[in-house]
Amino acid sequence: VLFVYRTMLILLMSALLFKNYRGYRILGNKSANALKITESSLLVKVFIITFIYAAVITVFVAIFGFKAITFQSTKDYYYQFVKCEIPNKTWNIIFEFFLQLIAIALIILTLILAWLTRKAQSGYNESVPLATFSGIIATVLLILVPLALTLGDDSGSEIFRFIILAEFISIVVVSACVLLFIPKAFVIYKSKKTARTS
């Protein structure tokens, strides 16, 4: 479940990155030659990043293996919980750091491209919703990740960690719909309705 969730998050963030990249390239094109960036070429780039991300996870799992490890709570003698992670603690930390680093890099690059196209007056300019969406993800991560890391290891804390993960996924999905997809779908619907009326 965690593998699928993380891969979908990288797929979403890389799609936002290259969506903003297309706007940046088109709006920043100062040459006399026409610039054509197709959706298929952007999709190829998105899937390449997602494939590399999934491949790295697969390699780590193949080499070190993920195991269901039983932990004893330090606060409740009668409570034990299971975590699926790399048995080697050092490599598990490196693995988690690498996964977080890719997500953070995609968010930062998206914010940079949004900043570079902030003054462009064009239908391609989506820097405000993209920057807002990336900012929401960054803010939520800055709040929820330290909160999850500082929780204890009793039963209530494990349940709360699951709630934090569910809340993060919900915020990402709702923010993407409200800021990006629903407004775009409305604009497309409105333009087609106007065309039919004309």
Side-chain angles (χ1 to χ4, degrees):
V1 174
L2 191 59
F3 169 76
V4 174
Y5 150 70
R6 284 178 163 172
T7 304
M8 292 301 294
L9 180 63
I10 293 300
L11 181 64
L12 174 63
M13 292 308 302
S14 56
L16 293 176
L17 171 64
F18 287 111
K19 183 178 178 67
N20 213 17
Y21 167 77
R22 178 171 63 176
Y24 169 74
R25 285 295 307 277
I26 292 174
L27 298 172
N29 182 28
K30 298 180 180 179
S31 63
N33 299 326
L35 181 62
K36 182 179 180 181
I37 302 177
T38 62
E39 291 184 0
S40 59
S41 65
L42 295 179
L43 283 174
V44 169
K45 293 181 175 65
V46 168
F47 284 119
I48 286 175
I49 289 182
T50 307
F51 175 78
I52 293 173
Y53 184 83
V56 169
I57 294 178
T58 304
V59 168
F60 264 92
V61 171
I63 295 176
F64 300 102
F66 262 55
K67 293 183 179 180
I69 304 174
T70 302
F71 292 90
Q72 173 65 49
S73 172
T74 58
K75 296 183 178 180
D76 186 354
Y77 177 77
Y78 297 101
Y79 177 67
Q80 292 181 332
F81 56 96
V82 177
K83 283 186 177 181
C84 292
E85 59 182 34
I86 296 175
N88 187 303
K89 187 175 181 180
T90 302
W91 279 108
N92 189 64
I93 294 174
I94 294 173
F95 176 67
E96 291 293 333
F97 176 77
F98 174 78
L99 297 184
Q100 299 299 332
L101 185 63
I102 293 179
I104 292 171
L106 290 174
I107 293 174
I108 292 175
L109 289 174
T110 302
L111 289 172
I112 291 174
L113 289 176
W115 173 262
L116 293 175
T117 58
R118 69 192 185 281
K119 295 182 180 180
Q121 299 296 324
S122 171
Y124 287 101
N125 184 17
E126 297 176 328
S127 61
V128 173
L130 284 171
T132 304
F133 178 70
S134 301
I136 288 173
I137 293 179
T139 304
V140 171
L141 285 175
L142 288 174
I143 295 173
L144 295 185
V145 169
L147 182 61
L149 293 176
T150 55
L151 288 173
D153 57 2
D154 57 342
S155 59
S157 297
E158 292 303 314
I159 294 173
F160 195 56
R161 280 194 183 90
F162 179 80
I163 294 174
I164 288 175
L165 177 61
E167 285 295 323
F168 177 71
I169 295 173
S170 301
I171 290 172
V172 169
V173 173
V174 172
S175 300
C177 290
V178 172
L179 295 172
L180 303 172
F181 301 115
I182 293 178
K184 180 64 70 175
F186 177 75
V187 169
I188 294 173
Y189 169 77
K190 189 176 180 180
S191 63
K192 288 186 176 181
K193 184 178 180 180
T194 303
R196 285 196 301 267
T197 304
S198 301

